[in-house]
Amino acid sequence: NRLKLSYQERAKLTKNVVAEKLFQIMSTKQTNLCLAADVTVASDLLNLAEQVGPYICALKTHIDIIEDFSSNLLSPLKEIAHRHNFLLFEDRKFADIGKTVELQFSKGIHLISSWASLVTAHSLLGKGVLDGIKAASLDSCGVFLLAETSAAGSLITESYTKSTVKLASDYPQLVAGIVCQNNLFLDNPGLIQLTPGVNINKTSDNMGQQYNSPEFVVGKKGADIAVVGRGITEAKDPVETAKLYRNLLWEAYTMRLK
Ligand code: BMP
């Protein structure tokens, strides 16, 4: 039962190198908070990474929403991630044939494979997506497959969710974990459950996003890492709020171990 194992113990059980590193970071920094840094200006992204960096295990980006993106953003971003010891996680949600995914991951203006050690992918097109990511990986890479979403009215079915977990288990060297809302893989402690849709002040937005509390997702739903975006980025004091989420999430994890 993965829910009763510490992140430190689970670091030894994963076959994905980046997941192992992520477990170690979580354990050392005592944080299972991933920040969704959904800002649209490059300097805002860097400031956020610099200020919130000490409290997170990963910084999740949508790099294609940065209006003034240039490759000059990449080295400072990597430097901040290195200094504050968190991973860069591009939420690209790859969903195409393997060859196209290979190109999308490594080419274009964003050069994702050169800086992101974690990426998300849809399982819809099957194993080709993973082959494409693998083909373009420079160093080691960890993929999170989407098995469920936090969106109201999602078209994902139970059997799709199940098949996604199976696909993830078939590629333990490449897959770091699963993006989902429920505890889908108790028996696979090497995989990481990443759960978005976490907010302490709201239960939804006006576009179908659905939120739960840190205690609920970690304590009741099996989340190993919670993704928090606007709960932090739109707070009056993002740094203090990030600390608060970090404490609540870590407390929920330590309670779960008991
Ligand atoms: P927020 O906390 O502001 O709602 O942001 C959630 C983040 O997580 C967004 O970046 C979104 O793309 C991502 N996300 C999600 O909300 N639900 C999912 O099921 C999968 C996601 O990647």
Side-chain angles (χ1 to χ4, degrees):
N1 181 348
R2 74 177 159 90
L3 303 180
K4 293 293 172 193
L5 293 172
S6 70
Y7 298 141
Q8 201 170 8
E9 291 169 297
R10 289 172 62 191
K12 292 177 233 143
L13 301 173
T14 177
K15 295 198 168 65
N16 176 259
V17 181
V18 185
E20 184 184 345
K21 191 163 176 207
L22 186 52
F23 273 133
Q24 282 161 356
I25 292 173
M26 291 159 76
S27 198
T28 321
K29 288 176 75 177
Q30 303 204 334
T31 178
N32 47 356
L33 169 64
C34 169
L35 175 70
D38 295 337
V39 292
T40 57
V41 176
S43 58
D44 290 348
L45 179 62
L46 292 175
N47 288 336
L48 202 55
E50 181 67 54
Q51 293 179 334
V52 175
Y55 315 107
I56 58 176
C57 59
L59 183 89
K60 192 176 79 57
T61 50
H62 285 296
I63 204 68
D64 57 353
I65 67 174
I66 303 287
E67 292 170 345
D68 55 344
F69 177 87
S70 86
S71 54
N72 295 336
L73 170 63
L74 301 175
S75 5
L77 190 60
K78 281 197 271 191
E79 188 276 322
I80 294 168
H82 181 74
R83 184 157 39 80
H84 288 306
N85 195 25
F86 62 80
L87 299 183
L88 293 174
F89 184 178
E90 168 56 21
D91 193 2
R92 177 60 182 74
K93 296 192 179 71
F94 292 110
D96 213 311
I97 59 163
K99 185 66 201 176
T100 301
V101 169
E102 178 190 345
L103 295 170
Q104 290 172 325
F105 184 35
S106 57
K107 306 285 182 185
I109 58 169
H110 296 122
L111 304 168
I112 299 169
S113 65
S114 75
W115 55 272
S117 46
L118 293 165
V119 292
T120 51
H122 284 295
S123 52
L124 188 65
L125 276 74
K127 72 181 269 293
V129 175
L130 295 176
D131 294 334
I133 293 171
K134 191 164 181 228
S137 294
L138 298 175
D139 207 356
S140 38
C141 177
V143 180
F144 276 87
L145 283 178
L146 264 99
E148 289 176 330
T149 84
S150 59
S154 155
L155 303 185
I156 290 178
T157 61
E158 228 174 276
S159 90
Y160 181 94
T161 297
K162 259 197 191 147
S163 312
T164 303
V165 174
K166 165 82 169 54
L167 183 64
S169 324
D170 289 346
Y171 285 80
Q173 308 242 348
L174 188 61
V175 176
I178 293 181
V179 182
C180 59
Q181 296 293 313
N182 291 290
N183 181 6
L184 304 173
F185 53 95
L186 261 185
D187 50 344
N188 198 336
L191 285 179
I192 299 174
Q193 177 178 334
L194 184 90
T195 301
V198 177
N199 196 303
I200 50 177
N201 292 316
K202 286 183 177 170
T203 56
S204 63
D205 68 5
N206 59 356
M207 294 190 201
Q209 174 69 301
Q210 305 175 110
Y211 291 119
N212 289 298
S213 71
E215 297 82 356
F216 185 74
V217 298
V218 175
K220 297 274 187 295
K221 292 292 184 172
D224 294 313
I225 298 178
V227 174
V228 182
R230 286 164 287 177
I232 291 172
T233 57
E234 291 183 357
K236 274 207 189 90
D237 187 339
V239 179
E240 281 308 311
T241 310
K243 282 190 208 171
L244 172 64
Y245 274 97
R246 178 247 192 161
N247 292 344
L248 291 171
L249 288 164
W250 192 257
E251 166 82 8
Y253 157 70
T254 52
M255 292 294 286
R256 186 171 95 180
L257 285 180
K258 283 178 190 158

